[in-house]
Amino acid sequence: MERLLSEVSRHHFPEPPATPEQIAAFEARMGWRLDPDLRAFYLHCNGASLFRPRLTANYRVLPLNEIRRARAAIRGSERDEDGPPSWYTVLYLQDGDYIIADVSRTQDGRFPLLDAFHETFPDLAETRRVAASFSEFLEKALASGDDFFWLDAG
């Protein structure tokens, strides 16, 4: 993760780090703890735009204060039929699309990341896993040249 964070700092548009107190307040407000990858990221930078500045970025890792339940961010609803309560926005991808973390599941202690296309959300068949962890996603995103790598995966 250190190598990836260093690359974000050198070649992209990171925000200042979150403090341990901000992380604790976030976790208390949300009712779940950041996994090790997300904790390392937010202690390094509290959000970042990749490849381009914030307003034009395809990839924008949300700061802690912008993370919300995916159903609220995408559908403007807290109803169960509008998405599971355990799906939270992590990256904004432009045009109302997000990468979300499923905080109800972990693999090796890390949350899987899912593609949340606003037009088909929360259809489980269309909300597919794109990475087993934030570090895997970040590595693939940084190597993508600013393309949405999972869309070419077939």
Side-chain angles (χ1 to χ4, degrees):
M1 191 67 181
E2 278 303 311
R3 176 185 58 78
L4 299 172
L5 295 174
S6 179
E7 183 176 338
V8 168
S9 289
R10 281 192 324 269
H11 302 293
H12 300 277
F13 303 88
E15 298 296 329
T19 65
E21 295 78 19
Q22 287 173 309
I23 290 174
F26 168 84
E27 291 174 336
R29 185 174 70 253
M30 292 297 176
W32 51 271
R33 294 180 52 84
L34 295 172
D35 70 16
D37 288 353
L38 290 169
R39 181 174 301 281
F41 180 84
Y42 286 106
L43 286 170
H44 185 82
C45 54
N46 188 6
S49 297
L50 304 181
F51 301 100
R52 294 184 266 167
R54 179 181 175 135
L55 294 178
T56 59
N58 281 334
Y59 289 102
R60 188 168 70 84
V61 183
L62 298 173
L64 291 172
N65 68 342
E66 291 184 32
I67 294 175
R68 302 185 340 177
R69 272 202 180 103
R71 65 189 186 189
I74 298 169
R75 292 281 176 240
S77 168
E78 279 295 346
R79 298 177 312 186
D80 286 341
E81 60 265 23
D82 289 320
S86 62
W87 288 358
Y88 284 83
T89 58
V90 178
L91 287 98
Y92 181 67
L93 304 174
Q94 297 290 339
D95 300 326
D97 298 328
Y98 290 88
I99 293 296
I100 58 178
D102 182 351
V103 303
S104 71
R105 297 183 307 179
T106 61
Q107 180 178 339
D108 297 325
R110 285 156 173 80
F111 303 130
L113 297 187
L114 314 169
D115 180 18
F117 179 54
H118 74 279
E119 291 183 17
T120 59
F121 185 85
D123 183 340
L124 295 176
E126 297 292 329
T127 309
R128 66 185 180 103
R129 186 173 111 169
V130 296
S133 65
F134 181 74
S135 59
E136 178 188 335
F137 182 90
L138 187 58
E139 183 163 17
K140 289 178 178 180
L142 293 173
S144 74
D146 202 21
D147 290 329
F148 296 141
F149 64 87
W150 61 96
L151 297 180
D152 295 331

